[in-house]
Amino acid sequence: MDSSKVDEVIFEFPPFLRVYKDGRKERIQNSEFIPPSSIDPTTGVSSKDVVIDPKSGLSARLYLPKLKQPQTNKLPLLIYFHGGGFCIETAFTAAYHFYLNSLVAEANVVAISVDYRRAPEHPLPIAYEDSWTSLQWLVSQSKEEEWFKNYVDFNRVFMAGDSAGANIAHNMAIRAGYMDLNGLKINGIILIHPYFVGNEPIGSEVGNVTMDMAKKLWTFVCPLTTGMDDPLINPVKDPHFSRLGCKRVLVCVAEKDGLRDRGKFYHEELGKSEWDGVVEFMEAEGENHVFHLFNPSCKKAVDLMSSVVSFIHTSE
């Protein structure tokens, strides 16, 4: 057999993922499993892993902040969806474990970080279905799981995510707007550098290498898509757009991110729609896509963290 054909690359998401003609997948991004912490020495946050669906292997990591003694008031719940283009990273990799530790400590919330199944082994819409299953599981465990039962105020529930995870958070909020979650109400969603595209370019998208890659990636992770105006990736084309199932949204973009204009467009269009809520916007000048994961101590990352924390606690 011609070895050059065996090693032929049919898809590449540089510098993170390479797929070969013979079906092999090579994830170049470090995906080393970081175990949960009984108590994180830096933040005091505790974490543990839970299995949501033994059949599919769907799981999540729960986070609990350092508790005051005595802990009299219950805490908000944050449901987090990690990024990675639907095909790299997990809820258990270093970037997300350390970010969730910091976020939980700063915001003083209980969190669940969902480890949805990834493409290409599990193409979309599987990640969306896993995420919805996780919300249903959360409701079913509200009076059973120790941390939920003892420490969560289910009147203060938020969803958040970055990049592909922000896309998931939006789509879960859309679904929550027209499907019942057994009484669970989402107060707000936080979309950090959301992964959205569209058939018609806007702003600086013409010739934008990042946007071109984002479109190519979408057809790879979602092979049955209707295209770049599929409501799953272009939310303003969704007939349910104005039925977003929450009352508050925070959209965060980065100036040098190729997805920046699409996030800004989302903010503008949601504000003009018939949705009955408040949408907020923040931009990190001079920064690129998910910079806060790679340089969490820089001033702009600290400012982003402050905005997220403030958003969660504004209504208190």
Side-chain angles (χ1 to χ4, degrees):
M1 181 181 292
D2 188 341
S3 61
S4 65
K5 291 184 178 180
V6 172
D7 291 334
E8 182 181 346
V9 176
I10 60 172
F11 179 82
E12 190 168 14
F13 177 30
F16 308 113
L17 174 71
R18 191 176 293 130
V19 180
Y20 296 91
K21 191 171 184 178
D22 64 358
R24 287 177 295 130
K25 290 91 176 175
E26 182 183 8
R27 285 188 171 87
I28 306 162
Q29 179 80 352
N30 183 7
S31 57
E32 179 185 358
F33 176 88
I34 301 296
S37 314
S38 55
I39 298 180
D40 177 64
T42 303
T43 62
V45 171
S46 302
S47 54
K48 63 182 178 181
D49 295 343
V50 295
V51 176
I52 293 173
D53 182 2
K55 184 178 293 187
S56 69
L58 175 61
S59 59
R61 180 162 291 179
L62 307 186
Y63 292 84
L64 183 71
K66 184 177 181 179
L67 299 172
K68 299 176 181 178
Q69 298 298 332
Q71 182 68 38
T72 54
N73 296 323
K74 291 193 172 184
L75 306 173
L77 175 67
L78 180 68
I79 304 159
Y80 198 87
F81 304 101
H82 70 82
F86 299 102
C87 60
I88 61 170
E89 294 288 359
T90 75
F92 311 129
T93 50
Y96 287 100
H97 180 66
F98 297 140
Y99 177 66
L100 265 293
N101 273 336
S102 298
L103 180 53
V104 165
E106 291 291 331
N108 197 34
V109 296
V110 177
I112 173 171
S113 181
V114 178
D115 194 49
Y116 55 84
R117 288 173 289 172
R118 304 173 298 175
E121 296 88 347
H122 305 284
L124 293 174
I126 288 176
Y128 296 122
E129 298 309 319
D130 281 354
S131 299
W132 187 254
T133 296
S134 299
L135 296 181
Q136 294 174 314
W137 175 86
L138 190 156
V139 174
S140 73
Q141 293 295 307
S142 61
K143 292 181 172 58
E144 302 295 329
E145 208 297 316
E146 178 188 5
W147 289 359
F148 294 163
K149 179 176 63 175
N150 293 336
Y151 304 116
V152 170
D153 178 357
F154 279 93
N155 291 313
R156 293 185 291 163
V157 179
F158 297 83
M159 292 192 297
D162 63 277
S163 196
N167 175 298
I168 292 175
H170 160 80
N171 279 295
M172 293 305 99
I174 286 289
R175 197 179 293 196
Y178 63 87
M179 292 180 67
D180 182 42
L181 266 174
N182 294 323
L184 180 69
K185 299 298 181 185
I186 307 298
N187 295 67
I189 60 173
I190 301 160
L191 309 182
I192 301 174
H193 311 164
Y195 177 20
F196 298 138
V197 304
N199 193 50
E200 293 297 322
I202 59 172
S204 62
E205 288 182 354
V206 175
N208 182 322
V209 175
T210 300
M211 181 54 67
D212 291 344
M213 185 66 234
K215 290 182 176 182
K216 182 180 178 183
L217 177 63
W218 175 250
T219 59
F220 174 72
V221 298
C222 191
L224 298 180
T225 184
T226 57
M228 297 307 119
D229 283 342
D230 186 330
L232 292 171
I233 193 68
N234 188 357
V236 302
K237 296 294 185 180
D238 193 334
H240 298 294
F241 188 49
S242 63
R243 295 179 62 184
L244 197 66
C246 62
K247 293 297 184 183
R248 298 174 60 227
V249 175
L250 173 62
V251 182
C252 306
V253 301
E255 181 187 14
K256 294 184 177 180
D257 183 2
L259 301 179
R260 178 256 183 200
D261 289 348
R262 196 58 61 168
K264 188 172 187 293
F265 184 62
Y266 174 97
H267 162 257
E268 293 167 350
E269 292 299 305
L270 184 61
K272 292 188 292 187
S273 75
E274 296 180 356
W275 174 65
D276 183 24
V278 177
V279 57
E280 302 176 31
F281 181 80
M282 80 160 293
E283 179 169 3
E285 296 180 358
E287 297 294 349
N288 217 317
H289 194 63
V290 297
F291 71 93
H292 61 293
L293 297 179
F294 303 109
N295 192 8
S297 61
C298 73
K299 183 182 185 304
K300 296 295 173 59
V302 172
D303 291 344
L304 175 59
M305 178 71 79
S306 297
S307 294
V308 171
V309 171
S310 175
F311 180 82
I312 293 172
H313 293 286
T314 291
S315 60
E316 295 182 358

